[in-house]
Amino acid sequence: MTASAAATRAAQTLSRPFTLGGRTIPNRIAMAPMTREFSPGGVPGADVADYYARRAAGGVGLIITEGTYVGHPAAGTSDAVPRFYGADALDGWSRVVEAVHAAGGTIMPQLWHVGMARKAGAPPFPDAPPSGPSGLALDGTPSGHAMTQRDLDEVIAAFAEAAATAERLGFDGVELHGAHGYLIDQFLWSGTNRRTDAYGGSRTARTRFAAEIVAACRAAVSPDFPVLFRMSQWKMGNYEARLAETPDELQEIVAPLTDAGVTAFHASTRRYWLPEFEDSDLNLAGWVKKLSGRPTLTVGSVGLDNEFLATFAHEQAGVSGIDRLLDRLERDEFDLVAIGRALLGDPEWAAKILEGRTDALVPFDASMLRTLN
């Protein structure tokens, strides 16, 4: 295939609009949520608004923000990560929304509670203990507070309030962070959920907390307001962890979330091209779409020649082709594609791909994490 034909194929495949709930995404390219810690005191400033607007102006159809803490004392573990409560932080987010919309993009905040990933004594509420389903860290050690029913109700309410706030501020939807070993995922995973009440035990029971959060958010916003759910098999520091070993086991998780009102699923993998289960080429996003009937977003080293673990070793990631991605998108394995590090290194990645200017793509280097480019 000639360079011209490849560019035409990429443009035709990725430039198609897509509808999520009552919102139309201009194309199939999303920005993946990536924690940046450039919001002093939890308040996103003008530099954060400019950062996201640059990606929208550079052709990204949907911005999913970095994780932003919901209004619960144990939700966070840094005072440089933005929060989604308090007049000062919400004023900052209003300016982010305005900037992204002015640049032609759509935007959703990722709503986040870190659960047992919280460090004891950390801001923004030093006295709040790490909290999770069973008070267990990802390595299984007891190191925090096992949540009571009152705790669960308070967290569910905090997510619902944040979702309603997002709609009020003019966001185009919300994403619930149910992946990577943070609070919601800690309930989903047997390694951290040892409860014997209605929120633990079977795979479906372990999904109850997540489903109640989805349902509460769904009830707090308009019927056509998108509620996305991000999920993963892997956890931070435990990359071999799995929620489901088979499609049937995955269905036990996906079905309650679908019934609760998820608009679309964002299936987080480290390498989008890897099959999730034996005897099928479908990746995790493909399987979730097949089982749920809902749209899905895929993610994982798109446009780069190594995965994100290399970032921690300060290795540069070179530019990689996306032919395999287009193959899967063309056969509707998934619906949207989330881009991570490639967009950190090159705010115009989307426009360059859509316009066939692949020779101008900028490789990603770990040093880029030190600035809000």
Side-chain angles (χ1 to χ4, degrees), residues 50-114:
D50 291 343
Y51 163 76
Y52 286 122
R54 272 193 293 275
R55 273 74 190 169
V60 174
L62 170 62
I63 304 286
I64 304 174
T65 75
E66 62 205 288
T68 178
Y69 298 145
V70 297
H72 183 261
T77 192
S78 168
D79 58 0
V81 168
R83 48 187 163 82
F84 212 73
Y85 58 89
D88 51 354
L90 297 180
D91 285 346
W93 281 121
S94 291
R95 288 189 281 273
V96 172
V97 172
E98 292 171 1
V100 169
H101 285 169
T106 59
I107 182 169
M108 302 181 186
Q110 186 189 70
L111 306 180
W112 191 20
H113 192 302
V114 303

Coordinates of all heavy atoms in Angstrom, one line a residue, residues 50-114:
D50 N -5.2 24.9 28.7 CA -4.5 25.0 27.5 C -4.0 23.6 27.0 O -4.0 23.3 25.8 CB -3.3 25.9 27.6 CG -3.7 27.4 27.8 OD1 -4.8 27.7 27.5 OD2 -2.8 28.1 28.3
Y51 N -3.5 22.8 28.0 CA -3.0 21.4 27.7 C -4.1 20.6 27.0 O -3.8 20.0 25.9 CB -2.6 20.8 29.0 CG -2.4 19.3 29.0 CD1 -1.3 18.7 28.5 CD2 -3.3 18.5 29.7 CE1 -1.1 17.3 28.6 CE2 -3.1 17.2 29.8 CZ -2.0 16.6 29.3 OH -1.8 15.2 29.4
Y52 N -5.3 20.6 27.5 CA -6.3 19.8 26.9 C -6.8 20.4 25.6 O -7.1 19.7 24.6 CB -7.5 19.6 27.9 CG -7.2 18.6 29.0 CD1 -7.2 19.0 30.3 CD2 -6.8 17.3 28.7 CE1 -6.9 18.1 31.3 CE2 -6.5 16.4 29.7 CZ -6.6 16.8 31.0 OH -6.3 15.9 32.0
A53 N -6.9 21.7 25.6 CA -7.4 22.4 24.4 C -6.4 22.2 23.2 O -6.9 22.1 22.0 CB -7.6 23.9 24.6
R54 N -5.1 22.1 23.5 CA -4.2 21.8 22.4 C -4.5 20.5 21.7 O -4.3 20.3 20.5 CB -2.8 21.8 22.9 CG -2.1 23.2 22.9 CD -0.6 23.1 23.2 NE -0.3 22.7 24.5 CZ -0.2 23.4 25.6 NH1 -0.5 24.7 25.5 NH2 0.1 23.0 26.8
R55 N -4.8 19.5 22.5 CA -5.2 18.2 21.9 C -6.5 18.2 21.1 O -6.5 17.6 20.0 CB -5.3 17.1 23.0 CG -4.0 16.5 23.4 CD -3.1 17.4 24.2 NE -1.7 16.8 24.4 CZ -0.7 17.5 24.9 NH1 -0.9 18.8 25.2 NH2 0.5 17.0 25.0
A56 N -7.4 19.0 21.6 CA -8.7 19.1 20.8 C -8.4 19.8 19.5 O -8.9 19.5 18.5 CB -9.7 19.8 21.7
A57 N -7.6 20.9 19.6 CA -7.3 21.7 18.4 C -6.4 20.8 17.5 O -6.5 21.0 16.2 CB -6.5 22.9 18.8
G58 N -5.7 19.8 18.0 CA -4.9 19.0 17.2 C -5.6 17.8 16.7 O -5.0 16.8 16.2
G59 N -7.0 17.8 16.8 CA -7.7 16.7 16.1 C -8.3 15.7 17.0 O -9.0 14.8 16.4
V60 N -8.1 15.7 18.3 CA -8.7 14.7 19.1 C -10.2 14.9 19.3 O -10.6 16.0 19.6 CB -8.0 14.7 20.5 CG1 -8.7 13.7 21.4 CG2 -6.6 14.3 20.4
G61 N -11.0 13.9 19.0 CA -12.5 14.1 19.1 C -13.0 14.1 20.5 O -13.9 14.8 20.8
L62 N -12.4 13.2 21.4 CA -12.9 13.1 22.7 C -11.7 13.2 23.7 O -10.8 12.4 23.6 CB -13.7 11.8 22.9 CG -14.0 11.4 24.4 CD1 -15.0 12.5 25.0 CD2 -14.6 10.0 24.5
I63 N -11.7 14.1 24.6 CA -10.8 14.2 25.7 C -11.4 13.5 26.9 O -12.4 13.9 27.4 CB -10.4 15.7 26.1 CG1 -10.0 16.5 24.8 CG2 -9.5 15.7 27.2 CD1 -8.6 16.2 24.4
I64 N -10.7 12.5 27.5 CA -11.0 12.0 28.8 C -9.9 12.5 29.7 O -8.7 12.2 29.5 CB -11.1 10.4 28.8 CG1 -12.1 10.0 27.7 CG2 -11.5 9.9 30.2 CD1 -12.1 8.4 27.5
T65 N -10.3 13.3 30.7 CA -9.3 13.9 31.5 C -8.5 12.9 32.4 O -9.0 11.8 32.6 CB -9.9 15.0 32.4 OG1 -10.6 14.3 33.5 CG2 -10.9 15.9 31.7
E66 N -7.5 13.4 32.9 CA -6.8 12.7 34.0 C -7.8 12.4 35.1 O -8.8 13.1 35.2 CB -5.6 13.5 34.5 CG -6.1 14.8 35.2 CD -5.0 15.9 35.1 OE1 -4.1 15.8 35.9 OE2 -5.2 16.9 34.4
G67 N -7.5 11.4 35.9 CA -8.4 11.1 37.0 C -8.5 12.3 37.9 O -7.5 13.0 38.2
T68 N -9.7 12.6 38.4 CA -10.0 13.7 39.3 C -10.8 13.2 40.4 O -11.8 12.4 40.3 CB -10.8 14.8 38.5 OG1 -11.1 15.9 39.4 CG2 -12.0 14.3 37.8
Y69 N -10.4 13.5 41.7 CA -10.9 12.9 42.9 C -12.3 13.4 43.2 O -12.7 14.5 43.1 CB -10.1 13.3 44.1 CG -8.6 12.9 44.0 CD1 -7.6 13.7 44.6 CD2 -8.2 11.7 43.5 CE1 -6.3 13.3 44.6 CE2 -6.9 11.3 43.5 CZ -5.9 12.1 44.0 OH -4.6 11.7 44.0
V70 N -13.2 12.4 43.5 CA -14.5 12.7 43.9 C -14.5 13.2 45.3 O -13.5 13.1 46.0 CB -15.5 11.4 43.8 CG1 -15.6 11.0 42.3 CG2 -15.0 10.3 44.7
G71 N -15.6 13.7 45.8 CA -15.7 14.4 47.1 C -15.8 13.4 48.3 O -16.9 13.4 48.9
H72 N -14.8 12.7 48.5 CA -14.8 11.8 49.7 C -13.4 11.9 50.3 O -12.4 11.9 49.6 CB -15.1 10.3 49.3 CG -15.1 9.4 50.4 ND1 -14.1 8.5 50.7 CD2 -16.1 9.1 51.3 CE1 -14.4 7.8 51.8 NE2 -15.6 8.1 52.1
P73 N -13.3 12.0 51.6 CA -12.0 12.2 52.3 C -10.9 11.3 51.9 O -9.7 11.7 51.7 CB -12.3 12.2 53.8 CG -13.7 12.5 53.9 CD -14.3 12.0 52.6
A74 N -11.2 10.0 51.6 CA -10.2 9.0 51.3 C -10.0 8.8 49.8 O -9.2 7.9 49.4 CB -10.5 7.7 52.0
A75 N -10.6 9.7 49.0 CA -10.5 9.5 47.6 C -9.1 9.7 47.0 O -8.8 9.0 46.0 CB -11.5 10.4 46.9
G76 N -8.3 10.6 47.5 CA -7.1 11.0 46.9 C -5.9 10.6 47.7 O -5.9 10.1 48.8
T77 N -4.7 10.9 47.0 CA -3.4 10.7 47.7 C -2.4 11.7 47.2 O -1.2 11.4 47.4 CB -3.0 9.2 47.4 OG1 -1.9 8.9 48.3 CG2 -2.6 9.0 46.0
S78 N -2.8 12.8 46.7 CA -1.9 13.8 46.2 C -2.7 15.2 46.2 O -3.8 15.2 45.8 CB -1.4 13.5 44.8 OG -0.7 14.6 44.3
D79 N -2.0 16.3 46.6 CA -2.6 17.6 46.5 C -2.3 18.3 45.2 O -2.6 19.5 45.0 CB -2.3 18.4 47.7 CG -0.8 18.7 47.8 OD1 0.0 18.1 47.0 OD2 -0.4 19.3 48.8
A80 N -1.7 17.5 44.2 CA -1.4 18.1 42.9 C -2.3 17.4 41.8 O -2.2 17.9 40.7 CB 0.1 17.9 42.5
V81 N -3.0 16.4 42.2 CA -4.0 15.8 41.3 C -5.3 16.7 41.4 O -5.7 17.0 42.5 CB -4.3 14.4 41.7 CG1 -5.5 13.8 40.9 CG2 -3.0 13.5 41.3
P82 N -6.0 17.0 40.3 CA -7.2 17.8 40.4 C -8.3 17.1 41.1 O -8.4 15.9 41.1 CB -7.5 18.1 39.0 CG -6.9 17.0 38.2 CD -5.6 16.6 38.9
R83 N -9.1 17.8 41.8 CA -10.3 17.3 42.5 C -11.5 17.8 41.7 O -11.5 18.8 41.0 CB -10.3 17.7 44.0 CG -10.1 19.1 44.2 CD -10.0 19.4 45.7 NE -9.3 20.7 46.0 CZ -9.9 21.9 46.0 NH1 -11.2 21.9 45.7 NH2 -9.3 23.0 46.2
F84 N -12.6 17.1 42.0 CA -13.9 17.4 41.3 C -14.9 17.9 42.3 O -16.1 17.6 42.3 CB -14.4 16.3 40.5 CG -15.2 16.7 39.3 CD1 -14.5 17.2 38.2 CD2 -16.5 16.6 39.2 CE1 -15.2 17.6 37.0 CE2 -17.2 17.0 38.1 CZ -16.5 17.5 37.0
Y85 N -14.5 18.7 43.2 CA -15.4 19.3 44.2 C -14.7 20.6 44.8 O -13.5 20.7 44.6 CB -15.7 18.3 45.4 CG -14.4 17.9 46.1 CD1 -13.9 18.6 47.2 CD2 -13.7 16.8 45.7 CE1 -12.8 18.2 47.9 CE2 -12.6 16.3 46.3 CZ -12.1 17.1 47.4 OH -10.9 16.7 48.0
G86 N -15.5 21.5 45.3 CA -15.0 22.7 45.8 C -15.1 23.8 44.7 O -14.8 23.5 43.5
A87 N -15.5 25.0 45.1 CA -15.8 26.0 44.1 C -14.5 26.4 43.3 O -14.6 26.6 42.0 CB -16.3 27.3 44.8
D88 N -13.3 26.4 43.9 CA -12.1 26.8 43.2 C -11.8 25.7 42.1 O -11.5 26.1 40.9 CB -11.0 27.0 44.1 CG -10.7 25.8 45.1 OD1 -11.6 24.9 45.1 OD2 -9.7 25.9 45.8
A89 N -11.9 24.5 42.4 CA -11.6 23.4 41.5 C -12.6 23.4 40.3 O -12.3 23.2 39.2 CB -11.5 22.1 42.1
L90 N -13.9 23.5 40.7 CA -14.9 23.5 39.7 C -14.9 24.7 38.8 O -15.2 24.5 37.6 CB -16.3 23.3 40.4 CG -16.5 22.1 41.2 CD1 -17.9 22.0 41.8 CD2 -16.2 20.8 40.4
D91 N -14.5 25.8 39.3 CA -14.3 27.0 38.4 C -13.2 26.7 37.4 O -13.3 27.0 36.2 CB -13.9 28.2 39.2 CG -15.1 28.8 39.9 OD1 -16.2 28.5 39.6 OD2 -14.8 29.7 40.8
G92 N -12.1 26.0 37.9 CA -11.0 25.6 37.0 C -11.5 24.7 35.9 O -11.2 24.8 34.7
W93 N -12.3 23.7 36.3 CA -12.8 22.7 35.3 C -13.8 23.4 34.3 O -13.8 23.0 33.1 CB -13.6 21.6 36.0 CG -12.6 20.6 36.6 CD1 -12.5 20.2 37.9 CD2 -11.7 19.8 35.9 NE1 -11.6 19.2 38.1 CE2 -11.0 18.9 36.8 CE3 -11.3 19.7 34.5 CZ2 -10.0 18.0 36.5 CZ3 -10.3 18.8 34.2 CH2 -9.7 18.0 35.1
S94 N -14.5 24.4 34.7 CA -15.4 25.1 33.8 C -14.6 25.7 32.7 O -15.0 25.7 31.5 CB -16.2 26.2 34.5 OG -17.1 25.7 35.4
R95 N -13.4 26.3 33.0 CA -12.6 26.9 32.0 C -11.9 25.8 31.1 O -11.7 26.1 29.9 CB -11.5 27.7 32.7 CG -12.0 29.0 33.3 CD -10.9 30.0 33.8 NE -10.4 29.5 35.1 CZ -10.9 29.9 36.3 NH1 -12.0 30.7 36.3 NH2 -10.4 29.5 37.4
V96 N -11.7 24.6 31.7 CA -11.2 23.6 30.8 C -12.2 23.2 29.8 O -11.9 23.0 28.6 CB -10.8 22.3 31.7 CG1 -10.5 21.1 30.8 CG2 -9.6 22.7 32.6
V97 N -13.5 23.0 30.2 CA -14.6 22.7 29.3 C -14.7 23.7 28.2 O -14.8 23.4 27.0 CB -15.9 22.5 30.1 CG1 -17.0 22.3 29.1 CG2 -15.8 21.3 31.0
E98 N -14.7 25.0 28.6 CA -14.8 26.1 27.6 C -13.7 26.0 26.6 O -14.0 26.2 25.4 CB -14.9 27.4 28.3 CG -16.1 27.7 29.2 CD -16.0 28.9 30.1 OE1 -14.9 29.6 30.0 OE2 -16.9 29.2 30.8
A99 N -12.5 25.8 27.0 CA -11.4 25.8 26.1 C -11.4 24.6 25.1 O -11.1 24.8 24.0 CB -10.1 25.7 26.9
V100 N -11.8 23.5 25.6 CA -11.9 22.3 24.7 C -13.0 22.4 23.7 O -12.8 22.2 22.5 CB -12.0 21.0 25.6 CG1 -12.4 19.8 24.7 CG2 -10.8 20.7 26.4
H101 N -14.1 22.9 24.2 CA -15.3 23.1 23.3 C -14.9 24.2 22.2 O -15.2 24.0 21.0 CB -16.5 23.5 24.0 CG -17.2 22.4 24.7 ND1 -18.2 22.6 25.7 CD2 -17.0 21.1 24.7 CE1 -18.6 21.4 26.1 NE2 -17.8 20.5 25.6
A102 N -14.2 25.2 22.6 CA -13.8 26.3 21.7 C -12.9 25.7 20.6 O -12.8 26.3 19.5 CB -13.2 27.4 22.4
A103 N -12.1 24.7 21.0 CA -11.2 24.1 20.0 C -11.8 23.0 19.2 O -11.1 22.4 18.4 CB -10.0 23.5 20.8
G104 N -13.1 22.8 19.4 CA -13.8 21.8 18.6 C -13.9 20.4 19.1 O -14.3 19.5 18.4
G105 N -13.5 20.2 20.3 CA -13.5 18.8 20.9 C -14.6 18.6 21.9 O -15.4 19.5 22.2
T106 N -14.8 17.4 22.3 CA -15.7 17.0 23.4 C -14.8 16.5 24.6 O -13.7 16.1 24.4 CB -16.7 15.9 23.0 OG1 -15.9 14.7 22.6 CG2 -17.5 16.4 21.9
I107 N -15.4 16.6 25.8 CA -14.5 16.3 27.0 C -15.4 15.6 28.1 O -16.5 16.0 28.3 CB -13.8 17.6 27.5 CG1 -12.9 17.2 28.7 CG2 -14.8 18.7 27.8 CD1 -12.0 18.4 29.1
M108 N -14.8 14.7 28.7 CA -15.4 14.0 29.9 C -14.4 13.9 31.0 O -13.2 13.5 30.8 CB -15.9 12.6 29.5 CG -16.9 12.5 28.4 SD -17.4 10.8 28.1 CE -18.4 11.0 26.6
P109 N -14.8 14.2 32.3 CA -13.8 14.0 33.4 C -13.8 12.5 33.8 O -14.9 11.8 33.7 CB -14.4 14.8 34.5 CG -15.9 14.8 34.3 CD -16.1 14.7 32.7
Q110 N -12.7 12.0 34.2 CA -12.6 10.7 34.8 C -12.7 10.8 36.3 O -11.9 11.5 36.9 CB -11.3 10.0 34.4 CG -11.3 8.5 34.9 CD -10.0 7.8 34.8 OE1 -9.0 8.2 35.5 NE2 -9.9 6.9 33.9
L111 N -13.8 10.2 36.8 CA -14.1 10.3 38.2 C -13.4 9.2 39.0 O -13.5 8.1 38.6 CB -15.6 10.3 38.5 CG -16.4 11.4 37.7 CD1 -17.9 11.2 38.0 CD2 -15.9 12.8 38.0
W112 N -12.6 9.5 40.1 CA -11.6 8.6 40.6 C -11.7 8.6 42.2 O -11.8 9.6 42.8 CB -10.3 9.1 40.2 CG -9.1 8.2 40.4 CD1 -9.1 6.9 40.6 CD2 -7.7 8.7 40.4 NE1 -7.8 6.5 40.7 CE2 -6.9 7.5 40.6 CE3 -7.1 9.9 40.2 CZ2 -5.5 7.6 40.6 CZ3 -5.7 9.9 40.2 CH2 -4.9 8.8 40.4
H113 N -11.6 7.4 42.7 CA -11.3 7.2 44.1 C -10.2 6.1 44.2 O -10.4 5.0 43.6 CB -12.6 6.7 44.8 CG -12.5 6.7 46.3 ND1 -11.5 6.0 47.0 CD2 -13.3 7.3 47.3 CE1 -11.7 6.1 48.3 NE2 -12.8 6.9 48.5
V114 N -9.1 6.4 44.8 CA -8.0 5.5 44.8 C -8.1 4.3 45.7 O -7.4 3.3 45.6 CB -6.6 6.3 45.0 CG1 -6.4 7.4 44.1 CG2 -6.6 6.7 46.5

